[in-house]
């Protein structure tokens, strides 16, 4: 996109927010870079240049605009859709892998050499992995500066900087303000940021429109007691993170998702935000999705009635895989009950002063040694669950942002008790595949028949070829024709 100068100029002149995060506009005369929807008067086209990432702008000597704050744009939908190694690398960088494991750790996860990674990312994004991670550290530092009272020294190391001097230099270079000036500016514009001690409050941006009913309805209706809850208009849950644990509350607003994070270690902020964005599918491009689905005349009325549906994701792919097995051929309530028993027996207890959360969901290693006789499941389901958690625990099966989606599907299908439904629902929600499809799902088949779409899996799959690569979103629209609680935003009192 950033190489199509004419199209980029039109997007900037029309202040088209759909392209925020897709490319960035750098102004040669002011040495400032902006998002396409920046509210200031657009610069002359001859003074514009376009970059594929904020890191590329910073690497070229541009600083972030103080009006539109381009560093807080939604992530590019490319990394959400694409399944190639560059996209997987970007998802890992967004997850904070470079900060925790360095470029060699990133290379190891992808099976590349560090030279290959540097060359590929530089070619596509105008910046290598270190520059991309540096840009993300700067944004993490800004969030901590503006939303917490932490001393700057603690913020520097929490954001991933190796020294306070590097932290100070980077903040001044990227934002043209010192850390102290950033904090004072935030206090004047948003005095509520002082908030509750130990709690980080921030806004998670998204591309409009966003239809919250099925997104938050699904999370609330399937919430595992002790791990998740709907309270005071927000979805709350516990998080297992690299340096500790956390509790997050997420609430839909007109132009953002309100996010409140309580972390035992602030170094986990980048990772926690990345997980929340994947959970709520916030980097999707709803206009592109809906435009494609509207080409089917039988789907078009569903899209027009509630545009912007997202695919609910997960904060922990291994957790979701376990829950998918527990949910095989049982009701939503039964699946919650089975999961709650595992949580009580094997989960790690946590304190939650603001609500009723009690545990972290148990890790595969904790579940790998469970006694199958204690599971109130059919014998075949016990075998499926134990095989899955042992494969996850010993690393023979991995599910995450770096994993090849087709390879993961093949490994899942090779496990006993894994059929197309379980594999595709994991691909949809744990692997984030926007084209995952469930033609054999009972709810999908009922909805299809009610709309006049083919009712058999084979015929529906053939019809759905025109919905690609967004079939996972078509599933959300089909499910939404049912009165099931997953399709309805819970009430404030729920």
């Amino acid at each position: 996109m950033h190489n199509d100068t004419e199209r980029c100029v039109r997007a900037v002149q029309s202040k088209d927010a759909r392209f925020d995060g897709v490319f960035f506009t750098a102004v040669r005369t002011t040495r400032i870079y902006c998002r396409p929807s920046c509210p200031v008067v657009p610069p002359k086209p001859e003074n514009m240049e376009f970059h594929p990432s904020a890191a590329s702008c910073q690497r070229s000597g541009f600083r972030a605009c103080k009006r539109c704050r381009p560093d807080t744009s939604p992530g590019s939908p490319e990394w959400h859709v694409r399944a190639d190694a560059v996209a997987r690398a970007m998802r890992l960088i967004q997850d904070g892998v470079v900060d925790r494991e360095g470029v060699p750790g990133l290379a190891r996860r992808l099976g590349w050499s560090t030279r290959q990674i540097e060359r590929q990312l530089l070619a596509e994004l105008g910046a290598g992995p270190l520059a991309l991670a540096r840009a993300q550290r700067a944004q993490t530092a800004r969030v901590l500066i503006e939303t917490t009272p932490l001393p700057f020294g603690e913020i520097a190391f929490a954001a991933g900087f190796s020294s306070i001097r590097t932290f100070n230099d980077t903040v001044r270079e990227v934002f043209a303000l010192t850390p102290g000036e950033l904090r004072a500016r935030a206090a004047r514009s948003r005095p509520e940021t002082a908030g509750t001690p130990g709690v980080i409050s921030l806004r998670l941006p998204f591309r409009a429109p966003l239809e919250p009913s099925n997104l938050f309805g699904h999370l609330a209706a399937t919430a595992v007691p002790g791990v998740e809850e709907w309270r005071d208009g927000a979805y709350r849950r516990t998080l297992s993170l690299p340096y500790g644990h956390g509790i997050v509350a997420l609430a839909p607003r007109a132009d953002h998702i309100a996010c409140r994070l309580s972390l035992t270690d602030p170094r986990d902020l980048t990772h926690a935000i990345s997980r929340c964005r994947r959970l709520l599918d916030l980097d999707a491009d709803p206009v592109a999705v809906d435009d494609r689905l509207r080409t089917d005349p039988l789907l078009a009325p569903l899209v027009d009635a509630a545009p912007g549906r997202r695919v609910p994701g997960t904060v922990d792919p291994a957790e979701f895989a376990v829950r998918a097995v527990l949910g095989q051929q049982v009701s939503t309530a039964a699946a919650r009950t089975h999961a709650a028993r595992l949580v009580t027996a094997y989960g790690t207890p946590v304190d939650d002063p603001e609500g009723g959360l009690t545990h972290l969901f148990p890790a595969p290693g904790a579940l790998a040694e469970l006694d199958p006789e204690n599971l109130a499941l059919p014998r075949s389901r016990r075998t499926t669950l134990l095989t899955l958690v042992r494969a996850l625990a010993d690393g023979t099966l991995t599910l995450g942002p770096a994993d090849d989606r087709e390879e993961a599907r093949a490994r899942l299908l090779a496990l006993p008790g894994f059929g197309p439904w379980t594999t595709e629902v994991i691909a949809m929600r744990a692997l984030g595949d926007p084209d995952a499809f469930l033609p054999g799902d009972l709810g999908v088949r009922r909805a299809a028949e009610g709309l006049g779409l083919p009712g058999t899996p084979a015929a529906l799959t053939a019809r759905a070829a025109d919905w690609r690569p967004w079939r996972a979103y078509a599933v959300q629209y089909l499910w939404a024709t049912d009165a099931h609680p997953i399709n309805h935003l819970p009430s404030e009192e729920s």
Side-chain angles (χ1 to χ4, degrees):
M1 171 74 188
H2 72 285
N3 290 321
D4 189 340
T5 301
E6 184 179 342
R7 189 179 178 197
C8 289
V9 168
R10 287 201 306 269
V12 171
Q13 291 177 337
S14 63
K15 303 185 187 300
D16 195 333
R18 292 178 300 167
F19 296 100
D20 287 355
V22 175
F23 71 88
F24 295 83
T25 308
V27 185
R28 299 187 185 99
T29 51
T30 61
R31 307 304 298 172
I32 290 172
Y33 75 94
C34 302
R35 60 172 77 197
S37 66
C38 184
V40 303
V41 176
K44 295 178 180 178
E46 59 266 27
N47 293 330
M48 300 182 198
E49 62 182 66
F50 304 104
H51 293 255
S53 66
S56 175
C57 294
Q58 293 167 19
R59 184 170 175 269
S60 298
F62 295 92
R63 66 169 178 82
C65 173
K66 296 175 184 176
R67 288 286 302 277
C68 69
R69 298 180 57 162
D71 49 302
T72 63
S73 298
S76 172
E78 271 199 88
W79 317 130
H80 164 75
V81 177
R82 286 169 49 178
D84 58 82
V86 170
R88 287 155 52 205
M90 279 303 299
R91 291 196 287 269
L92 284 172
I93 292 170
Q94 291 168 350
D95 231 19
V97 165
V98 172
D99 289 334
R100 295 192 302 274
E101 303 174 24
V103 178
L106 177 66
R108 187 169 55 252
R109 288 182 178 233
L110 293 168
W112 280 8
S113 70
T114 55
R115 178 177 291 183
Q116 281 178 305
I117 290 176
E118 187 78 32
R119 185 172 61 248
Q120 292 288 339
L121 292 180
L122 196 59
E124 286 218 31
L125 291 155
L130 288 176
L132 291 162
R134 176 181 180 268
Q136 184 162 277
R137 281 195 293 272
Q139 172 55 15
T140 300
R142 182 174 197 161
V143 170
L144 290 171
I145 289 167
E146 294 181 339
T147 64
T148 75
L150 286 174
F152 294 144
E154 291 184 32
I155 289 176
F157 295 110
F161 290 98
S162 58
S163 70
I164 296 175
R165 179 177 180 178
T166 304
F167 159 75
N168 285 327
D169 290 346
T170 299
V171 170
R172 280 196 296 267
E173 180 183 335
V174 173
F175 304 115
L177 294 168
T178 66
E181 289 168 338
L182 269 179
R183 179 164 280 174
R185 185 184 177 98
R188 289 194 300 270
S189 61
R190 292 171 62 187
E192 76 275 9
T193 55
T196 305
V199 174
I200 300 170
S201 297
L202 60 149
R203 300 180 175 199
L204 302 182
F206 56 76
R207 292 177 184 82
L210 182 144
E211 170 54 53
S213 58
N214 73 299
L215 181 59
F216 285 91
H218 204 120
L219 296 174
T222 61
V224 176
V227 174
E228 304 166 285
E229 67 176 3
W230 180 266
R231 182 183 291 265
D232 299 328
Y235 166 76
R236 303 180 72 248
R237 71 155 293 147
T238 58
L239 303 170
S240 296
L241 299 164
Y243 297 106
H245 69 266
I247 292 175
V248 64
L250 299 162
R253 299 289 184 261
D255 60 352
H256 67 277
I257 300 295
C259 174
R260 281 170 53 84
L261 276 166
S262 176
L263 303 174
T264 55
D265 191 318
R267 289 179 295 176
D268 281 322
L269 178 61
T270 296
H271 195 72
I273 291 174
S274 175
R275 289 191 181 194
C276 291
R277 294 194 67 80
R278 285 204 297 271
L279 173 72
L280 302 181
D281 195 17
L282 297 185
D283 290 326
D285 183 347
V287 175
V289 172
D290 290 350
D291 282 352
R292 171 56 68 99
L293 298 183
R294 280 192 184 97
T295 61
D296 190 313
L298 297 182
L299 277 186
L302 301 183
V303 176
D304 291 337
R309 291 195 185 276
R310 301 301 206 267
V311 178
T314 181
V315 297
D316 186 337
E319 172 192 318
F320 183 79
V322 169
R323 292 172 61 173
V325 170
L326 295 176
Q328 288 178 336
Q329 299 177 345
V330 299
S331 67
T332 300
R336 294 177 63 200
T337 299
H338 290 316
R341 288 172 181 160
L342 290 183
V343 166
T344 302
Y346 300 97
T348 302
V350 299
D351 293 325
D352 176 20
E354 296 186 348
L357 304 180
T358 59
H359 289 80
L360 301 175
F361 196 88
L367 295 175
E369 302 303 323
L370 60 81
D371 183 352
E373 298 304 318
N374 293 332
L375 296 174
L377 297 171
R379 187 170 299 277
S380 61
R381 193 84 43 79
R382 297 179 199 171
T383 301
T384 300
L385 181 63
L386 285 172
T387 305
L388 170 67
V389 296
R390 288 168 182 167
L392 290 168
D394 66 21
T396 56
L397 173 66
T398 56
L399 303 170
D403 291 294
D404 183 277
R405 291 165 179 166
E406 293 310 313
E407 182 179 335
R409 277 183 169 91
R411 289 182 180 274
L412 287 168
L413 285 169
L415 298 176
F418 272 77
W421 183 90
T422 308
T423 299
E424 285 301 300
V425 80
I426 291 173
M428 179 188 294
R429 296 195 55 195
L431 297 174
D433 186 349
D435 202 37
F437 193 47
L438 305 170
D441 178 84
L442 181 59
V444 169
R445 292 174 63 185
R446 284 177 176 170
E449 291 173 354
L451 292 172
L453 291 163
T456 64
L460 185 58
T461 299
R463 174 64 175 264
D466 290 338
W467 306 343
R468 305 190 76 168
W470 310 117
R471 293 183 301 177
Y473 294 87
V475 169
Q476 305 307 313
Y477 282 106
L478 292 171
W479 273 341
T481 62
D482 191 82
H484 194 284
I486 65 169
N487 295 314
H488 303 285
L489 193 67
S491 65
E492 292 285 333
E493 295 77 22
S494 295

